[in-house]
Amino acid sequence: MFIDFFYLLKAYGVPVSITEWMTLMEALARGMALSSLTGFYHLARAVLVKSEAHYDRYDLAFASYFKGVETPLELTEKVLNWLENALPPRLISPEERKQFENWDLEELKRQLEERLREQQGEHHGGSNWIGTGGTSRFGHSGYHPAGVRIGGDSLNKSAVKVAAERNFRGFRTDETIGVRQFEVALRRLRLLSTKVEGPKEELDLDGTVKETADKGGLLHLAWTRGRKNQVKVVLIMDSGGSMMPYMRICSQLFTAMNRSSHFRDLRFFFFHNCIYQHIYQDASCQMNSALKTEDFMRLLTPDYKAIFLGDASMAPSELTMVDGAIDWYYTNEEPGIVWLQRLARHFTHAVWLNPIPAPYWERTIGSYTINLIREVFPMFELTVEGLEGAIKKLQVRK
Amino acid sequence: MQAERQTYFSGTRDYIASQELQNSVNVAVALGRPLLIKGEPGTGKTMLARSISEGLGKKLLIWNIKSTTKAKEGLYIYDTVQRLYDSQFGDHDVSDIKHYIKLGKMGEAFLAEEQVVLLIDEIDKADLEFPNDLLWELDIMSFDIPETGETIKAKHRPIVVITSNAEKELPDAFLRRCIFHYIAFPDAAMMKRIVQVHHPDLPQRLLEEAMQAFYWIRSIGGLQKKPSTSELLDWVQALVVGGISPEKIGKELPFLGVLLKKDQDFNTVLQRLQQPETPKRSPAPGILRNW
């Protein structure tokens, strides 16, 4: 029963297991889908999908599998009323308002209808879906997009339509990190907790028993370390020119990390394309903020978890040649790759985050140097999923 | 009617549950699976368990998880230190280990004479391995106490509600056994119902103004912590107690500290409030700018 749907879900990247599928079958046998597609939509989602990050994929799979099962899309009276009441562009910026003046309500309605219809068909990662992208005319809110509002009344709506609305698109983890997702990403960094250092303040039962026995039965309490987050992190960022397109996302990561208070210590350093004998404490990478990389390694003990952030794209000479540094006044006696290898040896836990999406690593202009650096550092793309992988990597020694 | 109320959850007087949420609860109850609830802070995850216990007329046991909580503590605690101390003075009978075994919340739930609702609150606060350590017990609803050789078996399978703030990823094996529900942030209509349930005598005007101001604040980009349902409820309460007239709410945002908990957010909102061209009232939550 619906076994194709199971495989379709898997194909869309929802991690479903046999256990969950059997649970769903049990629930269906008990009539818990309430004999309706909407009921089935919610039931299957509750049983099969275990993260809001996968809701969107589930919606896509559902819409594709059950497309056409229910009546075709209609705009309800309610939606039209709502449109009439709620679309005055009061919170739109002046430029946008100009565009807006050229549209009348009828036109808007038509467009909305059209867009809803488009949405039911092929729609993978388009940019003007109602309310979610932030670029559509039909709403700018991520949290309260018009789409949610339209689909909110699930009782008289078809499940396919609810699915097609893709209200949970914002939760997808494979998209590049945006403002909202940063909070989540940062929480993940809390995974980096460790038990190897810190004060001993918890009772060690085994130790107590042993020591008490050693003392001939006179109770002696032994203590062990608590489980606080004792992690120390250093973020080393490329602030070179090729990073400009990614500056926004990088500064978001920077700000977000800066605000996070759950690390025991957090340091920031900068470099321009590649690291040589100097590393900088300021994003401008001027000599007045320079620190000898040797001193840097002395200052930051190997137990710091090192996160390198850069596009790793540069002229091969910058990485492999003596005096290859991009700044003409800068001379380096050792090629950049040697310094990178040295840093990789120094930090027992290190990863490289790359704002360039992983599928392009083989094809982009800098792919030669990207691949050279990938041999030195485990590289992850700068998305929520990539960051997650990086955090996992940071927990184990290389 | 009475019998139906016992088995079917449909929200309670002071807790409005969406149809989806009700379905999820009922599926979890019927299948005997733990219900895992996620959602923004303040969307009523913990309140849900209270509501289920009230709605189904069952006792509620709460197991609050902290970063130091270990899975075994929910089953039982063997107070070895006490026993060792007692053994040194010889004024207690230390030969019977049972005196030093205390059941945890899960143990209590298993031994209860009636089916209970067991809330495992904020499971993500605990250690990474914590959920895995509970897998077996949640599955077969029994555990052994090796110290006494006893087996504690659930007399009635408790209704288990687990909440998570997504601070940590939960292990797949654990997730597979749960029914999952994500509580989305309520839309304006839903929110209105929620507020009215908590403050039934609220003047319409005050409610509307407060809601508009609330959604306007939520719409401001760059807030570190957006105000949530529980904060709105507190705020409305404060407005009523403070005797604030509805006209002032949108203009002055009194008692802003109830809604916003961070200095920076406070400043951001006040700045936006002072910009003359920014409307202080939102026409509708649907078209607010979020970034």
Side-chain angles (χ1 to χ4, degrees), chain B residues 209-220 223 225-228 230-240 242 244 248-274 280:
Chain B
E209 291 286 338
M211 293 268 296
Q212 267 168 357
F214 173 73
Y215 277 104
W216 175 72
I217 291 173
R218 268 187 71 87
S219 72
I220 295 175
L223 287 190
K225 160 119 187 38
K226 288 185 178 178
S228 64
S230 56
E231 277 141 358
L232 174 66
L233 291 175
D234 289 347
W235 193 48
V236 170
Q237 178 84 38
L239 292 174
V240 172
I244 306 293
K248 276 191 183 170
I249 293 173
K251 277 183 225 137
E252 296 174 15
L253 297 178
F255 308 122
L256 194 54
V258 180
L259 287 178
L260 299 173
K261 309 291 162 68
K262 303 227 175 195
D263 275 2
Q264 274 165 306
D265 291 354
F266 219 90
N267 295 338
T268 316
V269 169
L270 288 181
Q271 259 173 22
R272 289 286 294 264
L273 192 65
Q274 278 149 15
K280 271 116 201 141

Side-chain angles (χ1 to χ4, degrees), chain A residues 32-132:
Chain A
M32 302 192 75
L34 309 170
S35 303
S36 81
L37 196 57
T38 312
F40 177 74
Y41 169 81
H42 291 305
L43 172 70
R45 195 178 69 184
V47 175
L48 300 177
V49 190
K50 298 300 157 63
S51 165
E52 68 275 17
H54 298 141
Y55 273 8
D56 184 50
R57 294 174 193 170
Y58 172 80
D59 280 356
L60 283 174
F62 191 93
S64 129
Y65 188 79
F66 290 99
K67 190 164 58 186
V69 169
E70 284 194 330
T71 47
L73 182 68
E74 280 170 10
L75 280 181
T76 58
E77 201 54 37
K78 200 175 169 186
V79 177
L80 291 175
N81 285 342
W82 176 80
L83 268 178
E84 229 133 13
N85 295 335
L87 265 181
R90 291 178 62 171
L91 287 179
I92 312 291
S93 69
E95 311 92 295
E96 281 169 302
R97 188 177 309 208
K98 241 170 238 149
Q99 291 181 350
F100 233 93
E101 279 159 7
N102 300 329
W103 300 92
D104 63 0
L105 195 56
E106 282 309 305
E107 176 73 356
L108 268 176
K109 281 180 197 169
R110 197 187 55 74
Q111 284 246 327
L112 174 60
E113 213 164 348
E114 211 172 81
R115 203 141 309 168
L116 279 167
R117 207 166 280 140
E118 276 171 23
Q119 198 72 27
Q120 272 219 321
E122 283 291 300
H123 185 94
H124 301 279
S127 65
N128 50 359
W129 174 230
I130 299 146
T132 48

Side-chain angles (χ1 to χ4, degrees), chain A residues 17 23 30 42 45-46 49-50 55 91 96 140-141 143-144 171 183 188 190 203 205 217-219, chain B residues 20 27 30 33 38 40 80-81 85 88 167 169 175-176 178 180 182 186-187 224 226 279 286 288-289:
Chain A
S17 69
T23 311
R30 294 199 194 186
H42 291 305
R45 195 178 69 184
V49 190
K50 298 300 157 63
Y55 273 8
L91 287 179
E96 281 169 302
H140 291 256
S141 161
Y143 255 96
H144 268 267
F171 292 116
E183 283 169 335
R188 293 224 168 94
R190 198 176 282 182
L203 184 67
L205 213 52
L218 196 64
L219 186 56
Chain B
E20 290 175 44
V27 168
R33 302 288 160 114
K38 275 212 249 175
E40 265 189 70
T80 36
V81 177
Y85 272 123
Q88 297 203 307
E167 288 191 9
E169 284 294 293
L175 290 174
R176 268 203 289 280
C178 296
F180 174 74
Y182 181 83
D187 60 11
Q224 289 183 22
K226 288 185 178 178
L288 292 174
R289 291 175 65 96

Side-chain angles (χ1 to χ4, degrees), chain B residues 78-243:
Chain B
Y78 172 29
D79 196 345
T80 36
V81 177
Q82 186 63 47
R83 186 161 174 244
L84 275 167
Y85 272 123
D86 286 353
S87 73
Q88 297 203 307
F89 302 108
D91 51 354
H92 286 80
D93 175 21
V94 293
S95 60
D96 190 358
I97 294 179
K98 270 189 187 169
H99 293 304
Y100 300 97
I101 300 271
K102 275 188 215 146
L103 285 182
K105 290 291 174 191
M106 230 163 124
E108 265 183 61
F110 285 4
L111 284 188
E113 290 302 326
E114 288 181 334
Q115 190 184 35
V116 296
V117 179
L118 173 64
L119 169 65
I120 304 180
D121 208 8
E122 312 200 27
I123 195 166
D124 53 329
K125 284 229 177 84
D127 194 68
L128 279 174
E129 286 307 313
F130 178 88
N132 277 338
D133 295 347
L134 281 182
L135 276 183
W136 176 255
E137 285 76 12
L138 282 174
D139 244 14
I140 60 157
M141 291 284 166
S142 87
F143 62 90
D144 295 329
I145 304 180
E147 284 87 350
T148 60
E150 268 183 295
T151 301
I152 307 281
K153 199 165 172 18
K155 293 183 176 166
H156 303 275
R157 201 179 181 95
I159 299 170
V160 183
V161 180
I162 300 167
T163 69
S164 163
N165 278 322
E167 288 191 9
K168 288 193 192 98
E169 284 294 293
L170 298 170
D172 289 343
F174 179 79
L175 290 174
R176 268 203 289 280
R177 288 164 171 86
C178 296
I179 302 294
F180 174 74
H181 187 88
Y182 181 83
I183 302 186
F185 196 82
D187 60 11
M190 184 80 169
M191 185 62 94
K192 210 175 235 174
R193 281 176 62 201
I194 294 171
V195 177
Q196 274 165 346
V197 156
H198 286 265
H199 304 283
D201 303 324
L202 206 63
Q204 190 64 20
R205 187 70 206 292
L206 186 102
L207 173 62
E208 306 241 309
E209 291 286 338
M211 293 268 296
Q212 267 168 357
F214 173 73
Y215 277 104
W216 175 72
I217 291 173
R218 268 187 71 87
S219 72
I220 295 175
L223 287 190
Q224 289 183 22
K225 160 119 187 38
K226 288 185 178 178
S228 64
T229 314
S230 56
E231 277 141 358
L232 174 66
L233 291 175
D234 289 347
W235 193 48
V236 170
Q237 178 84 38
L239 292 174
V240 172
V241 172

Side-chain angles (χ1 to χ4, degrees), chain A residues 279-292:
Chain A
I279 194 162
Y280 305 89
Q281 293 173 324
D282 189 285
S284 60
C285 293
Q286 298 298 314
M287 281 314 280
N288 58 13
S289 72
L291 184 74
K292 278 194 177 148

Side-chain angles (χ1 to χ4, degrees), chain A residues 362-379:
Chain A
E362 296 298 331
R363 310 186 251 135
T364 183
I365 307 163
S367 65
Y368 179 73
T369 50
I370 288 179
N371 284 318
L372 277 182
I373 291 178
R374 275 174 79 184
E375 284 170 21
V376 181
F377 292 103
M379 192 179 285

